[in-house]
Amino acid sequence: NCDAGTYASTAGSNSKSSCLRCVAGKFSTVTASASSTTCFDCAAGKYSEELGAHTAGTCSNCAAGTYSSQRGSASSTSCVDCGAGKFSTRTASQSSTTCVKCAAGKYSASVGASMATDCLDCSKGKFSGTLGAVTISACFQCGAGKYLPVEGSVDEGDCLKCSAGTFSATLGATALDLCTACPDESTATRGSRAVTDCVCNMGYSGPNGATCTACGFGTYK
């Protein structure tokens, strides 16, 4: 009799040398089989490179970060990578629906990612509300007059305004100390974007953003 994993399609065969092996991607638990129909496909999400496999256990799982909807796969090359901007922690996945988008505030240019940590945070000074972002260009810079000292931010509202009396023309500023103080005896409102937003204090005069001098005797501001 032919062993499990093999079959004899020729009538009257009396030697195991005439038994044919199930092809890669299939297995058979049946002994004395007379047909290849007893060679069963490895399930979707799995593959087997082994000839004459005699148990479903020889079918290997597609790795995390990949999936395969194809039955009877004979190679790991049938396992398709999750696309950029996605990841999957599951093995033996049968569909791209198991590939999860990177969260807002993150991005991933890698294919076949297998962990959430493969999604990289937008850097300080930037934010992104996009799910499944595939490139750092999805992370937008905070505007002038603002800064953002943390990574992985998801909304422009996370950008903090420069304090009153300071300004910043820098896009994507990452720290409060990038907000520059107005010239002496002048001030500016929170979130000011240019030195010209600095206005001389009461009792002082001068061009916005320039030197402020005290008003002369008998004058006022």
Side-chain angles (χ1 to χ4, degrees):
N1 291 341
C2 289
D3 295 330
T6 66
Y7 63 94
S9 58
T10 304
S13 297
N14 56 11
S15 170
K16 287 190 176 182
S17 62
S18 63
C19 298
L20 304 176
R21 293 184 291 180
C22 293
V23 297
K26 296 177 181 286
F27 67 94
S28 177
T29 59
V30 179
T31 58
S33 173
S35 170
S36 63
T37 58
T38 58
C39 297
F40 302 108
D41 287 338
C42 289
K46 296 176 179 283
Y47 66 94
S48 176
E49 300 176 353
E50 186 172 332
L51 297 173
H54 58 84
T55 172
T58 58
C59 300
S60 300
N61 293 336
C62 287
T66 68
Y67 64 93
S68 176
S69 59
Q70 182 179 330
R71 297 178 59 86
S73 296
S75 170
S76 61
T77 58
S78 65
C79 302
V80 181
D81 287 330
C82 290
K86 298 182 178 182
F87 68 94
S88 175
T89 59
R90 291 178 55 179
T91 60
S93 294
Q94 300 180 6
S95 168
S96 62
T97 58
T98 59
C99 299
V100 180
K101 290 181 178 180
C102 291
K106 299 177 181 289
Y107 68 96
S108 176
S110 301
V111 298
S114 60
M115 297 182 292
T117 51
D118 291 324
C119 301
L120 306 177
D121 285 332
C122 289
S123 58
K124 296 176 182 180
K126 296 183 178 182
F127 64 92
S128 175
T130 303
L131 296 174
V134 301
T135 174
I136 194 172
S137 64
C139 302
F140 298 102
Q141 293 179 322
C142 291
K146 299 180 179 181
Y147 65 97
L148 186 54
V150 297
E151 299 178 338
S153 293
V154 302
D155 187 80
E156 186 175 11
D158 297 331
C159 301
L160 305 174
K161 290 182 178 181
C162 288
S163 304
T166 68
F167 67 93
S168 175
T170 302
L171 297 175
T174 60
L176 176 62
D177 59 12
L178 293 174
C179 300
T180 304
C182 286
D184 290 346
E185 303 303 339
S186 66
T187 191
T189 58
R190 291 178 64 241
S192 290
R193 298 178 292 179
V195 68
T196 52
D197 291 331
C198 298
V199 178
C200 291
N201 294 332
M202 187 176 296
Y204 291 81
S205 65
N208 290 353
T211 301
C212 295
T213 56
C215 294
F217 181 75
T219 66
Y220 68 93
K221 177 185 177 186

